[in-house]
């Protein structure tokens, strides 16, 4: 990496970090020595880039520093392209269309010499399976952002139908499913609903009974507790199995 590119990359790393970044971390990411980082930081300071901090404690950019974004590097373009491809493969039609728009906007401002990286990326993902279900999530997103309740008609795995009123929190994904994560009034607890099993959805003009930030924090605590309980159960089963042997 050229020295000028490395100086720009140091600025980018500091820009994306919420906490001071140590010279060791910078050296590891840029694959240089800490001594090189110390020299680069001194050079940036000499060019009046307001880098705050010192060796041993970490560095950060001043909150008053304003620098327009730099052009994408080859690796950054490939990361963007792969991210767009991954999003387009999710079972969410809304996100897929948004990802296409993002790529179109980026392509419209790239220099011609960089456009080839979008069409000849070194990265690729498995082709999409035919017939995969794509969910229109616009109503979910509107409810989450506005903090409104959602009445649902839901079909369970065994084909049973039920009516619920939920407080939507967030949408979760893997490459096969889109999940509406919500607090269910009927079950008085957090539940994950597969979007492809939602038969009918209506947006109520009724606010959820909790602040969005608090509700999401409570869901995270519930999820972590559930994961811990599952891990302890698995460990107990394994320990019991070993003892029997």
């Amino acid at each position: 990496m050229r020295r000028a590119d490395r100086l720009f990359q140091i600025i980018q790393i500091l820009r994306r970090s919420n906490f001071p970044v140590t010279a060791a971390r910078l050296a590891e990411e840029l694959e240089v020595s800490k001594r090189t980082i110390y020299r680069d930081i001194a050079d940036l300071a000499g060019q009046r880039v307001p880098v705050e901090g010192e060796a041993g404690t970490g560095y950060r950019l001043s909150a008053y520093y304003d620098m327009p974004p730099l052009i994408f590097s080859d690796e950054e373009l490939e990361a963007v392209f792969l991210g767009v491809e991954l999003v387009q493969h999710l079972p969410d039609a809304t996100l897929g269309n948004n990802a296409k728009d993002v790529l179109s906007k980026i392509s419209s401002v790239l220099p011609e010499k960089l456009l080839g990286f979008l069409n000849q990326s070194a990265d690729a993902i498995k082709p999409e399976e035919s017939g995969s279900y794509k969910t229109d999530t616009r109503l979910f997103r509107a409810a989450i952002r506005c903090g409104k309740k959602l009445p649902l008609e839901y079909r369970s795995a065994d084909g049973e139908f039920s009516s619920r009123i939920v407080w939507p929190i967030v949408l979760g994904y893997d490459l096969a499913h889109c999940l509406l994560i919500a607090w269910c009034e009927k079950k008085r607890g957090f539940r994950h609903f597969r979007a492809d099993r939602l038969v009918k959805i209506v947006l109520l003009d009724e606010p959820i009974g909790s602040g969005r930030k608090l509700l999401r924090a409570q869901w995270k605590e519930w999820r972590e507790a559930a994961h811990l309980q599952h891990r302890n159960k698995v460990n107990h089963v394994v320990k019991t199995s070993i003892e029997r042997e």
Side-chain angles (χ1 to χ4, degrees):
M1 180 184 294
R2 295 182 308 167
R3 176 177 169 278
D5 293 337
R6 191 172 64 247
L7 294 180
F8 283 135
Q9 190 60 30
I10 289 175
I11 294 174
Q12 290 296 94
I13 295 171
L14 298 179
R15 188 203 296 268
R16 73 175 185 238
S17 302
N18 296 323
F19 301 98
V21 183
T22 64
R25 179 179 158 194
L26 289 168
E28 180 180 5
E29 181 164 344
L30 298 175
E31 299 181 345
V32 295
S33 67
K34 288 196 294 183
R35 179 175 294 182
T36 297
I37 295 298
Y38 295 145
R39 286 200 301 264
D40 290 344
I41 292 294
D43 288 342
L44 288 173
Q47 297 174 30
R48 298 186 179 180
V49 177
V51 178
E52 300 175 345
E54 57 186 22
T57 61
Y59 304 97
R60 66 188 309 167
L61 283 178
S62 168
Y64 300 101
Y65 180 64
D66 184 21
M67 173 182 168
L70 304 172
I71 196 64
F72 291 109
S73 69
D74 303 349
E75 291 80 8
E76 289 169 343
L77 279 176
E78 292 189 338
V80 169
F81 179 77
L82 184 60
V84 168
E85 286 284 288
L86 286 170
V87 170
Q88 287 180 312
H89 278 68
L90 293 176
D92 186 328
T94 307
L95 274 184
N97 291 332
N98 291 337
K100 292 178 183 177
D101 291 342
V102 168
L103 194 59
S104 175
K105 290 178 180 179
I106 292 174
S107 300
S108 68
V109 298
L110 279 179
E112 186 174 352
K113 65 178 182 179
L114 293 178
L115 285 175
F117 287 100
L118 293 180
N119 301 319
Q120 302 175 19
S121 173
D123 306 301
I125 62 175
K126 180 182 178 181
E128 186 177 11
E129 299 292 338
S130 60
S132 59
Y133 183 84
K134 297 285 188 179
T135 304
D136 185 343
T137 59
R138 287 175 292 183
L139 194 59
F140 301 146
R141 297 174 187 281
I144 293 170
R145 289 167 181 159
C146 297
K148 301 294 185 180
K149 293 184 180 181
L150 276 179
L152 308 174
E153 287 189 14
Y154 188 70
R155 175 178 53 83
S156 65
D158 57 8
E160 295 291 328
F161 288 85
S162 62
S163 297
R164 317 282 186 95
I165 295 180
V166 304
W167 304 357
I169 301 171
V170 69
L171 292 173
Y173 298 91
D174 58 28
L175 289 180
H177 303 109
C178 171
L179 300 176
L180 173 64
I181 299 166
W183 191 86
C184 177
E185 291 187 354
K186 181 177 181 179
K187 298 296 185 180
R188 306 296 299 176
F190 296 104
R191 294 291 186 272
H192 296 178
F193 301 95
R194 271 181 46 176
D196 57 318
R197 293 179 180 167
L198 293 172
V199 181
K200 185 179 180 181
I201 312 150
V202 180
L203 178 61
L204 288 182
D205 191 22
E206 181 180 351
I208 61 178
S210 177
R212 286 178 55 195
K213 186 176 181 179
L214 175 61
L215 187 62
R216 184 158 181 163
Q218 291 172 336
W219 164 67
K220 287 183 177 180
E221 290 178 2
W222 170 83
R223 181 185 59 179
E224 290 171 0
H227 285 175
L228 179 60
Q229 183 179 10
H230 175 73
R231 188 161 57 246
N232 289 340
K233 184 177 180 180
V234 170
N235 291 339
H236 175 72
V237 171
V238 172
K239 182 180 179 181
T240 303
S241 176
I242 293 174
E243 290 175 349
R244 288 177 178 174
E245 293 179 355

